[in-house]
Structure formats: C-alpha cells, structure tokens
Amino acid sequence: MTSRIRRAICEQLPQLENIYHALEVPAKKQLSAASRPLLQWTLPATVAQHENELLESVKSQQFDATYIEQVRVVPSAGRTAAKVEFQLQPDAFATHLLQAGEATTVSPSYADKHVVIEFSSPNIAKPFHVGHLRSTIIGNVLANLYQHLGYRTTRLNYLGDWGTQFGLLALGVQLKQVSDAEMRTAPIETLYNAYVEANKAATENPALAQRARELFSALEAGTDDAMTTQWQQYRHYTIDELTAVYERLGVQFDSYEWESQYSQSEITEVLTKLRTAGMLQGEHDGREVVIVGQRRVPVIKSDGSTLYLARDIAALLKRQRQLQFSRMLYVVDNGQADHFNALFQTVTALDNSLNNKLQHVKFGRIHGMSTRQGKAIFLRDVLDEAREVMREKRSNSATTKENRSMNDELVCDVLGVSAVLVNVLKQRRQRDHEFSWDQALQVNGDTGIKLQYTHCRLHSLLDNFKHIQLAEIKPSWQHLTQEPSDALDVLYELARFEQFVWQSKEQLEACVLVNYLFGLCNATSRALKRLPVKQERCLEKQSQRLLLFHAAKRTLHRGMQLLGLKPLNQM
C-alpha cells in the first residue's frame, strides 16, 4: 500500500487533519503512461479562506526525498478548488504497492475514538427475515471499515424480547405444548409459529387475550420463576440459531443485548431524570409523553408500563456510561426515522455531551427477495436457495472440474452468500432495491461471483509459480512503464484502495468499496489477458507480472473480507 508515502507527507503537515486519507491518486484520464505517479490533495471548502497561507506553507516544506520528488501547488480558478500535487519517487511507489512482504500499514491510529454500532437487532417473536439482512450486512461492513482504519469498535446486537406481544408468545408456547426438544431444534421458527397461533386464538377469544396480558405482567414483574427460566432458555437457543446464520454471512458481534434488560425496574432512574428536567408531560388519558417538534411521543402508557422509547433512552444512557463512545451508529431502516429523531432529541436534552455523537444510518427496503417457490419468511431459506442455485449452475457448467479436495457444500454456500450480499451491498443504502436472482448469480456482470472468480483465478496463477520467492523480487517502475498500459492501470487501482476505504466509511456507503473492487477486478482481468505469465519467456517480465498479480490478489482479498465475504481459492 502507499501508507508510508502518505505518512511521509503527513509528518510535514501536522496542522492538516485527515490529510492522510484525503490524498488521492488522480483519475485515469489525468494520468498518462509516461507521467510520474502522483498523490493529490484537493483543498476542502472548509479551509478555502486560508488557501494562500496553506499553499505557501506546503511549498516551504522539505519532504522526504526517498518518497517525494517534487511538490506542485495549483491555486483555485473559478469553481475549481486549489490542489497540491505530490510527484512521487516511482520505484518507491511501485515497491510499497507490490513488495510481496509489504503487508504492514502505518496509517494513523484512531484508537482514542470509540465507535459503537448497533445493527441486525431482530425481534425474537418474528422470523429473522430478509428485512434484517440489510441492517446486518451494512452494519457489519461499517464495523469492519472502522476497525480496519484503526478505530476502537464495538458491535452490538440489541434483540427485541419484550412488550405485550411476548405475552402472546408465551401463550402460544402453552397452547401448542411446545417441547424443549422442538424449541432447541428450530427456536426462531417455533417461536414464530407459536406467536401466529396465539395471536389468532386471542383475536377470537378475549379470555385468551387477557391470559396473554397476565403472562407478560408476570414475566415483567418477575413473579413466575418457571416462566423466567424458560424465557432465558429460549433466548439462549435463539442466539445459537442466529449465530449459525451470522456465521454464513461473515458477521460477528461483541455483545448481545436484550430489550428486557431495560424493563420497568431498570428505567425508573431515567423517568426520574425526565420528570426532574420537566420533559415528561401528562395526558388526559393517563399517558406521559415527551414533546419532539410538533409531536407528542408517548413514553409511559396509561397503565404505567413503559414503551419502546423509554427502554431505548435507558439503553443509550447506559451505553454512554459503560462504553464512553465517541460515536454511536444505529443501522435501522428508513421507517424508524421518527423514533430515532425522538430518541436523539430527548437524550441530548438530558445529556448535552451526546450532541453530534448519535446517528441513524438509514436504509431502504429489499423487494422481491424470496425463494423460487415464493416463500420468504426466513433468511435461512433464502441463503439455502442461493446455495442450491449455485450447485445447479456449477454442475451444469462445462468448465467445472471435479476436485475431490474441495468441500463442495461449503463452496456452493460461500458463492451463494457472496451473490446475495454483493447484490444488496452494491446499491446505495437509502434506495429501495428490487432483488433479482438472475442478476445476483451472473458470472460476467458486477456480482459477488465475479469477485470470487477473479480471486480464484489469481490464486490459481500464483499457485502454479509458488516455487518462485516473490519476497526476493524487487519491483521495477521502469519495467511497468514498458509493459502494455494495463500494468499501470492495475498499479494505480491498487494505490486507490485506501482512499476508497476511507470514502466508504465517511459516506457510510458500502457500495463505494464494492464499486472499487469491481474496478480492480476489471483492470486485473484485462491485465491477465494482456500480460500472460505462463507463456512469457523473459524471466524478469514474468517475475514482475507475478508481483503485480500477487498484490492484486492481496488487495482484493482484503476488500472482500471488509465486505464480510469469505474469499475462495477454488470454485
């Protein structure tokens, strides 16, 4: 990577915050094969009024000649912002991108900044369906990006297991006489079916609806020890099942929290704070509300029990005390915008130190994602379907070779999950998205299959030359300039990795990184055609090409892992 070169520039310009990640490799149309490699800093609008002073300051610096040959400043002209061009020492540029052992980074550390990301957060009374998929995989990519960039990162899964609906769930378990063995085998599906049955029965029979309310009251008050124990057991089984789905999606969590942790007894302190601050107002029907803009948002019901907002306030204040975060992101769909607006306004009124630390990362819905039979309740079914479709495609492909060393089931599952994940992640998150199996599972289009195929192709090539010690080969800029332009195209794509990782994090958009990886795959595929290795008789050309393709594989591998994909070596 170009991390050491970036560091050399930053050390001379300590007054410029975040310039490390703001340094960009110019677009392809601004580069020519004969030109020297550049890193370019475009002055942001926030410092435009100090433009002359900044440019003079940059010009007066002595930069490390090991990395930087020349510095050129370009003042602003009309609507075009001023920029600084750092002309790099070409062999240092090539070496840091291609050196086989060059895997360590020396990027800035953000370990003093703690980012907490709450994502996925299904409700255990409902199926873990495709609606949770977008929260799960977007949240996972954002956590991966922050972690990769050196931030202290905590991944939270806040599961819904509270409220009157859980009285219905407990009733359904009793009505269906669900055994512990049934629950352990398929907890989410079993709980969902119990809820559906109880809901139907309670609608037809008011006595059963009353019984459900009593069950939840007992659970909330903690007066039924047997039911409390049973409830804890169900939660344990649920996490086991969810963990299996998360494993397939390449997702992990640092902490599981439950809504029931913040039940009536836990949030008395929060209600006292709200009352002391004069923020709770009584309604004529006995409810208590907070005022958010023109809305009166209920916090306490007329019977004295708390609503979801109260529990979220309690959870947020407790997290701030325990985790001391710099930033808290909630990855939840667009439909919850009003809820988070109420939460953030209420909490910051109680604790002003939380101002500008909270963000709702919104996303649109996925339409049309179901199995081919049209069943779309459980995400597990969709992932199983993707695996089966990949198995059919591979068995019908003329180019698939039998390989007894491969775990066919695992390969098909990884390919299917890659197809589903990338098809969702390549969309702008706030747009609603129409899912298509045909588009997701193409080999030639911009899909997860393309990323896996390119990675496998690079692995196969490098595996054929594993007898060559790449760490002993010194990269040569001069050699690269004598190759077809495809060689420099790949090199410049590799140099852009860090800037696109940063931009993806800044915009909270996984698609920025996804589109970068598609571009890297396209440049690599063209280079594989134009720069053959097996047929090349000149050993120096062969070894330099191997270095290029080794670096391409390393960068693709790293980028795929940031997306939550498991890079395959064979497919």
Side-chain angles (χ1 to χ4, degrees):
M1 316 315 282
T2 55
S3 49
R4 287 196 184 142
I5 298 174
R6 290 168 182 269
R7 172 65 83 186
I9 293 170
C10 295
E11 282 171 355
Q12 293 302 113
L13 302 167
Q15 75 276 29
L16 299 176
E17 198 178 349
N18 284 341
I19 189 174
Y20 180 96
H21 295 288
L23 291 165
E24 297 187 354
V25 176
K28 186 177 175 182
K29 62 188 175 187
Q30 297 170 258
L31 298 163
S32 67
S35 70
R36 312 293 264 179
L38 290 176
L39 276 176
Q40 186 173 279
W41 178 54
T42 303
L43 269 67
T46 50
V47 298
Q49 64 220 44
H50 308 296
E51 177 187 321
N52 293 337
E53 186 185 325
L54 274 173
L55 294 182
E56 286 303 317
S57 166
V58 172
K59 276 200 287 191
S60 67
Q61 299 296 325
Q62 288 292 316
F63 293 94
D64 189 339
T66 314
Y67 304 119
I68 294 121
E69 283 190 342
Q70 190 179 331
V71 179
R72 177 173 168 256
V73 299
V74 183
S76 58
R79 293 188 178 181
T80 308
K83 64 184 178 184
V84 181
E85 291 179 348
F86 298 91
Q87 189 172 295
L88 308 179
Q89 207 288 332
D91 277 322
F93 179 70
T95 296
H96 287 302
L97 288 167
L98 301 185
Q99 192 83 52
E102 180 73 14
T104 55
T105 59
V106 284
S107 58
S109 171
Y110 297 99
D112 60 327
K113 296 186 188 297
H114 186 189
V115 180
V116 178
I117 305 174
E118 183 196 293
F119 62 104
S120 194
S121 303
N123 182 328
I124 70 165
K126 295 176 182 176
F128 185 30
H129 58 80
V130 294
H132 297 115
L133 174 66
R134 219 166 184 185
S135 171
T136 303
I137 62 178
I138 290 171
N140 187 52
V141 174
L142 296 181
N144 289 342
L145 289 170
Y146 274 105
Q147 193 169 336
H148 174 83
L149 288 163
Y151 291 82
R152 198 151 61 92
T153 309
T154 298
R155 304 152 187 260
L156 284 183
N157 198 349
Y158 182 56
L159 295 104
D161 70 327
W162 213 240
T164 49
Q165 62 193 353
F166 291 96
L168 283 170
L169 208 157
L171 175 68
V173 168
Q174 291 180 3
L175 292 175
K176 287 175 71 70
Q177 298 182 314
V178 176
S179 69
D180 191 63
E182 277 179 89
M183 190 66 73
R184 190 186 290 113
T185 305
I188 295 175
E189 195 167 346
T190 304
L191 286 168
Y192 174 68
N193 291 335
Y195 175 77
V196 169
E197 177 153 325
N199 202 32
K200 184 171 180 287
T203 304
E204 295 166 358
N205 184 342
L208 285 176
Q210 178 57 31
R211 172 70 183 142
R213 285 191 287 273
E214 289 167 0
L215 284 169
F216 179 66
S217 294
L219 191 61
E220 189 169 35
T223 54
D224 186 330
D225 291 344
M227 191 161 70
T228 300
T229 302
Q230 188 182 49
W231 197 246
Q232 289 167 346
Q233 196 67 52
Y234 293 170
R235 295 193 322 192
H236 177 71
Y237 296 156
T238 301
I239 283 185
D240 284 348
E241 184 177 343
L242 285 173
T243 303
V245 176
Y246 291 138
E247 165 61 26
R248 292 174 76 180
L249 294 171
V251 173
Q252 58 184 17
F253 291 93
D254 297 307
S255 174
Y256 284 89
E257 289 188 358
W258 297 89
E259 197 182 338
S260 56
Q261 288 172 227
Y262 306 99
S263 58
Q264 185 82 30
S265 57
E266 257 73 33
I267 60 176
T268 306
E269 184 187 341
V270 169
L271 298 178
T272 303
K273 280 185 178 178
L274 288 169
R275 287 198 179 97
T276 304
M279 293 171 64
L280 271 185
Q281 296 192 10
E283 300 280 76
H284 60 82
D285 61 0
R287 292 183 306 160
E288 291 187 73
V289 302
V290 289
I291 310 298
V292 180
Q294 301 299 310
R295 294 189 302 130
R296 302 176 73 80
V297 184
V299 176
I300 302 175
K301 291 193 285 190
S302 52
D303 64 3
S305 59
T306 56
L307 286 157
Y308 186 68
L309 177 60
R311 292 190 285 278
D312 250 9
I313 294 168
L316 179 46
L317 292 173
K318 184 177 180 181
R319 289 167 185 174
Q320 169 64 352
R321 280 197 310 274
Q322 291 185 339
L323 302 173
Q324 295 292 304
F325 56 77
S326 326
R327 197 159 184 225
M328 170 93 207
L329 304 179
Y330 291 85
V331 187
V332 184
D333 71 85
N334 286 325
Q336 295 294 314
D338 283 346
H339 170 74
F340 285 106
N341 185 36
L343 173 64
F344 297 166
Q345 286 201 36
T346 306
V347 167
T348 50
L350 282 176
D351 181 355
N352 193 50
S353 72
L354 286 165
N355 208 13
N356 297 320
K357 288 185 178 179
L358 310 170
Q359 185 167 358
H360 174 201
V361 182
K362 308 170 192 173
F363 57 85
R365 296 189 172 180
I366 304 174
H367 302 290
M369 183 183 274
S370 61
T371 60
R372 287 175 292 183
Q373 287 73 40
K375 293 184 291 189
I377 290 185
F378 297 97
L379 178 61
R380 182 188 61 222
D381 297 333
V382 173
L383 298 182
D384 289 350
E385 174 83 0
R387 182 182 62 214
E388 295 314 308
V389 173
M390 283 315 307
R391 198 195 310 280
E392 286 171 24
K393 276 183 168 283
R394 287 177 77 245
S395 62
N396 295 336
S397 170
T399 57
T400 302
K401 299 173 188 170
E402 187 176 357
N403 187 332
R404 295 182 189 281
S405 67
M406 266 167 60
N407 181 336
D408 196 63
E409 182 84 357
L410 176 66
V411 168
C412 291
D413 193 55
V414 170
L415 286 173
V417 169
S418 299
V420 170
L421 259 63
V422 171
N423 192 261
V424 174
L425 290 172
K426 73 179 185 178
Q427 320 294 331
R428 286 261 163 204
R429 63 177 160 80
Q430 289 209 57
R431 290 185 190 152
D432 284 5
H433 161 50
E434 194 70 40
F435 182 83
S436 156
W437 280 111
D438 290 340
Q439 287 176 9
L441 297 165
Q442 285 173 356
V443 176
N444 299 323
D446 284 344
T447 64
I449 308 300
K450 175 197 259 184
L451 300 184
Q452 292 285 9
Y453 174 74
T454 306
H455 189 270
C456 290
R457 204 173 159 195
L458 289 166
H459 177 82
S460 176
L461 170 66
L462 293 162
D463 198 48
N464 286 329
F465 290 89
K466 59 187 174 195
H467 56 282
I468 293 178
Q469 297 298 312
L470 295 181
E472 295 173 9
I473 300 167
K474 183 167 174 53
S476 163
W477 170 264
Q478 185 182 358
H479 166 77
L480 289 165
T481 59
Q482 292 166 355
E483 290 276 35
S485 61
D486 308 85
L488 282 182
D489 286 350
V490 173
L491 191 73
Y492 283 126
E493 281 298 326
L494 296 174
R496 291 187 181 99
F497 176 69
E498 285 162 294
Q499 74 195 50
F500 278 102
V501 166
W502 180 261
Q503 286 169 19
S504 198
K505 185 273 295 183
E506 283 289 280
Q507 297 174 35
L508 302 174
E509 285 283 10
C511 66
V512 172
L513 177 58
V514 173
N515 289 327
Y516 163 78
L517 293 177
F518 289 150
L520 175 62
C521 283
N522 293 338
T524 301
S525 296
R526 289 191 296 270
L528 285 165
K529 284 180 188 169
R530 297 284 302 280
L531 308 169
V533 180
K534 286 181 185 176
Q535 299 89 333
E536 182 51 61
R537 301 201 172 181
C538 170
L539 289 179
E540 186 179 357
K541 276 190 175 182
Q542 190 182 70
S543 61
Q544 292 291 325
R545 288 174 184 179
L546 281 171
L547 276 184
L548 187 68
F549 294 128
H550 176 268
K553 183 197 170 193
R554 182 176 63 206
T555 303
L556 178 58
H557 190 278
R558 200 173 289 176
M560 289 171 72
Q561 287 183 318
L562 287 175
L563 297 180
L565 304 186
K566 297 168 185 172
L568 292 169
N569 291 333
Q570 291 177 292
M571 58 180 276

